[in-house]
Amino acid sequence: MFLLLFALWLAFNGRISPETVAVGIPVCAVLYFFCCRFLGFSIKKDITLARELPYILKYMANLIVEIVKSSLATAGLVFAVSQPSPAIIKFRSGLKSDLARVLLANSITLTPGTITLDLSGDEYTVHCLDKAMGDGIDDCSFVRHLRKMEEVAGL
């Protein structure tokens, strides 16, 4: 977290100079101490996050790819001559942690053409612009990535 704060400090200043570094280090140290004291941050959590960073970046890249693919599919539905057949589907993901479940619900909502209507325990209710968009949603790439993150990173 300290390194992120310091990188932001340097980015906002727009240049790297001895004065910027000399002022930035104590300012970021005080801010980091404040975050540790009052916001629940700790060095241990920072190390855990650094260990999980490759999985998080891989998930974010997958999310971006799925958003692009879904955007193209939704655009195809909009310009198609035939009418789409909307559907509401329910499924269970098998994810264990609340964080992983919420990440999945938000990821589904971020992809165009689908929206998570309800999340109760492990049961999702999703509205799809077209019935084909809901096929295989219970074992989509989001679910596979989140399962792996739960196993490996302890999400």
Side-chain angles (χ1 to χ4, degrees):
M1 178 73 171
F2 175 80
L3 295 176
L4 178 64
L5 291 171
F6 188 65
L8 285 172
W9 172 268
L10 293 176
F12 289 150
N13 277 292
R15 62 187 177 95
I16 299 174
S17 66
E19 297 87 19
T20 307
V21 172
V23 172
I25 289 175
V27 168
C28 293
V30 168
L31 188 58
Y32 183 69
F33 174 75
F34 175 82
C35 290
C36 289
R37 179 82 168 108
F38 297 108
L39 300 178
F41 286 88
S42 69
I43 294 174
K44 185 178 179 181
K45 288 182 182 179
D46 288 347
I47 292 170
T48 303
L49 181 62
R51 198 171 2 114
E52 295 172 358
L53 190 61
Y55 298 104
I56 294 169
L57 293 175
K58 187 175 180 182
Y59 184 81
M60 289 173 56
N62 180 48
L63 178 62
I64 291 169
V65 167
E66 291 298 324
I67 287 173
V68 169
K69 287 175 20 184
S70 184
S71 296
L72 295 173
T74 303
L77 284 173
V78 169
F79 293 116
V81 176
S82 63
Q83 295 290 323
S85 56
I88 294 179
I89 59 170
K90 291 187 177 197
F91 72 95
R92 294 188 180 278
S93 66
L95 297 171
K96 297 173 185 84
S97 72
D98 289 339
L99 178 60
R101 291 177 185 156
V102 171
L103 280 173
L104 176 60
N106 288 335
S107 298
I108 290 170
T109 299
L110 281 172
T111 54
T114 57
I115 186 166
T116 305
L117 300 174
D118 186 39
L119 170 59
S120 298
D122 188 34
E123 185 177 57
Y124 295 81
T125 305
V126 177
H127 178 273
C128 301
L129 187 60
D130 189 49
K131 194 174 187 179
M133 289 181 166
D135 293 341
I137 199 169
D138 56 341
D139 192 39
C140 64
S141 60
F142 296 138
V143 175
R144 289 191 301 271
H145 278 282
L146 289 169
R147 282 184 188 147
K148 188 169 190 167
M149 287 172 71
E150 278 185 332
E151 293 171 9
V152 177
L155 182 72

